[in-house]
Amino acid sequence: MDFSLSEEQLMIQEAAKDFAQNQLLPGVIERDEKQQFPKELIKEMGNLGFLGMMVSSKYNGSDLDTLSYVIALEELSKIDASAAVIASVNNSLVCWGLEMYGSETQKEKYLKPLASGKKLGAFCLSEPEAGSDATSQKTTAIDKGDHYIVNGTKNWITNGNSADIYLVIAQTDKEKGHKGINVVIVEKGIPGFEIGPKENKLGIRASDTHSLLFNDVIIPKENRIGDDGFGFKFAMKTLAGGRIGIAAQALGIAAGAYELALKYSKQRKAFGTEISNHQAIAFKLADMHTQIEAARHLVYKAAWDKDQGNNYDLSSAIAKLHASQVAMDVSIEAIQIHGGNGYVKDYHVERFMRDAKITQIYEGTSEIQKIVISRKILKN
């Protein structure tokens, strides 16, 4: 197997690294503390092509492969996981689904501004009583002939207040179960659609997470994506790709924490020498590096499967399960290596640990990944 990156992929990696170091890093601690959405930085990410990376140039996208997308997300996440998840949602959960399953009219109207970064998207699946169990949708989209009337509540929505375009999963025919679910496109500002309170989160605090309220929202039929009853299948197919993005985010969090710990261990002295010379620290660094390398191979393999047209349900679940655990393990050890300094914000590593935890929860918890993996392997 060829493990080398192409010249184009190396250029993308360098561009993402340069943007992260020079644009994201300077205010990252303040944005975390104040829960400030990086509006201007996200606009710049759009200008650089980071918000529609896998979208065809026909629809204002960057026309890149999944591996290039993963490489860029890893570099962004090494510095700011909040900015990375904003990009991940727009790329994986919104743009990809629209390009793959949307009508030509929908692509012209919605995908083009989303891929270029002129507008931002949100994916609305989770509800107060329907998180991991996505079939238990309480939000309804009642068929009224030429339109739907949407009622209900969505929560934990990334880009909840900052998005312009929302893909909303809702139940149209409860009798049909998951085959009675649809996905509709909702524009911000439409009557009856309200943004709920902002969540005060442990991590990824610069990304805005809100509940959304729908009260007799009228959505034209042409805003439904796919055939009637396609909504649940749309969500599952979209989330499979989204897990690759979150796995890349987790990988970047782990790598960012490791790089800081490695640098610190070469500078900090104890007992007359740099702490990296003490076996206890050196072995920690060895374990961290090994875990990250294993995670990177799994994440890249999932991206490769998607690019090759292979079924990537299994590889994306494995990548997310492992990379998210590595993000937690490595960030905790990074704090330990920093000692007391690791417990304060100025050294960044405590933020990496807080950001890491959500990668084990959103876009399918680690427990859900194990269900996906076990079902796949038990079929063989």
Side-chain angles (χ1 to χ4, degrees):
M1 295 180 68
D2 183 3
F3 290 97
S4 59
L5 299 179
S6 69
E7 185 176 339
E8 182 180 45
Q9 288 165 342
L10 289 170
M11 288 175 62
I12 291 163
Q13 184 179 52
E14 189 59 33
K17 183 177 181 180
D18 180 73
F19 176 77
Q21 290 286 341
N22 295 310
Q23 301 294 320
L24 293 179
L25 181 58
V28 66
I29 292 176
E30 183 179 8
R31 292 194 301 273
D32 174 74
E33 288 182 337
K34 296 182 178 180
Q35 301 187 72
Q36 291 178 338
F37 185 86
K39 186 176 180 180
E40 295 305 315
L41 291 170
I42 297 304
K43 283 184 181 179
E44 184 59 26
M45 287 170 66
N47 293 336
L48 291 170
F50 290 138
L51 295 183
M53 295 190 71
M54 298 174 287
V55 176
S56 167
S57 56
K58 178 182 178 182
Y59 303 110
N60 296 337
S62 299
D63 226 350
L64 296 168
D65 59 8
T66 312
L67 184 55
S68 297
Y69 165 61
V70 160
I71 290 165
L73 267 189
E74 179 184 349
E75 292 301 324
L76 297 175
S77 301
K78 284 180 180 180
I79 301 299
D80 187 351
S82 293
V85 76
I86 294 164
S88 178
V89 167
N90 202 72
N91 276 282
S92 297
L93 300 186
V94 181
C95 286
W96 184 85
L98 270 171
E99 184 170 25
M100 185 62 63
Y101 301 111
S103 67
E104 195 60 33
T105 300
Q106 290 168 350
K107 292 175 187 178
E108 287 290 329
K109 185 176 181 180
Y110 299 113
L111 181 57
K112 279 188 171 182
L114 285 165
S116 64
K118 292 180 180 178
K119 292 189 176 181
L120 191 65
F123 181 81
C124 312
L125 175 64
S126 294
E127 298 182 359
E129 297 179 29
S132 295
D133 182 9
T135 60
S136 299
Q137 296 291 304
K138 294 292 191 296
T139 298
T140 57
I142 303 303
D143 193 335
K144 293 295 183 179
D146 64 345
H147 66 275
Y148 293 101
I149 296 181
V150 179
N151 282 284
T153 302
K154 295 293 181 179
N155 66 345
W156 314 120
I157 305 304
T158 302
N159 302 341
N161 187 51
S162 300
D164 305 285
I165 297 164
Y166 301 77
L167 305 188
V168 180
I169 315 298
Q171 183 75 253
T172 297
D173 189 342
K174 191 174 182 180
E175 298 297 317
K176 292 182 179 179
H178 73 276
K179 293 183 179 180
I181 295 173
N182 281 305
V183 54
V184 294
I185 303 168
V186 178
E187 296 182 50
K188 191 174 189 177
I190 192 170
F193 174 34
E194 297 179 16
I195 311 296
K198 184 177 184 178
E199 303 293 348
N200 188 5
K201 300 171 297 186
L202 172 72
I204 56 166
R205 288 167 58 82
S207 69
D208 63 321
T209 304
H210 290 256
S211 56
L212 306 177
L213 311 174
F214 302 89
N215 183 22
D216 290 337
V217 179
I218 298 173
I219 303 297
K221 269 284 179 67
E222 58 261 31
N223 279 31
R224 186 188 72 203
I225 299 176
D227 296 331
D228 186 30
F230 182 65
F232 180 76
K233 193 172 184 180
F234 173 90
M236 294 302 101
K237 287 181 174 292
T238 304
L239 283 172
R243 286 165 185 161
I244 299 175
I246 299 306
Q249 181 195 29
L251 172 61
I253 290 170
Y258 164 76
E259 289 175 6
L260 289 175
L262 180 64
K263 181 180 179 181
Y264 184 84
S265 74
K266 293 178 178 180
Q267 297 172 342
R268 174 71 171 179
K269 290 186 176 182
F271 303 103
T273 186
E274 291 77 11
I275 61 172
S276 59
N277 292 325
H278 297 297
Q279 191 177 70
I281 301 301
F283 278 13
K284 283 183 185 295
L285 292 166
D287 286 339
M288 293 158 76
H289 183 78
T290 301
Q291 285 180 290
I292 291 167
E293 281 296 296
R296 183 172 288 115
H297 281 73
L298 289 172
V299 176
Y300 284 19
K301 170 59 164 56
W304 182 84
D305 276 340
K306 188 169 183 287
D307 288 335
Q308 295 300 310
N310 301 332
N311 185 297
Y312 53 89
D313 292 351
L314 179 60
S315 57
S316 66
I318 291 172
K320 184 180 183 297
L321 175 66
H322 184 71
S324 61
Q325 185 62 55
V326 169
M328 280 303 302
D329 292 345
V330 168
S331 59
I332 288 171
E333 287 290 50
I335 292 174
Q336 194 71 18
I337 289 171
H338 279 75
N341 286 331
Y343 211 65
V344 297
K345 294 183 182 296
D346 289 349
Y347 287 80
H348 296 280
V349 286
E350 61 84 30
R351 174 170 50 84
F352 281 112
M353 185 191 72
R354 290 187 287 106
D355 289 346
K357 185 58 193 174
I358 193 60
T359 66
Q360 296 182 308
I361 298 172
Y362 59 14
E363 295 192 35
T365 64
S366 292
E367 290 74 19
I368 289 295
Q369 305 316 310
K370 290 179 181 180
I371 290 173
V372 172
I373 294 165
S374 62
R375 285 177 178 172
K376 289 288 184 181
I377 61 178
L378 289 171
K379 279 184 179 179
N380 298 333

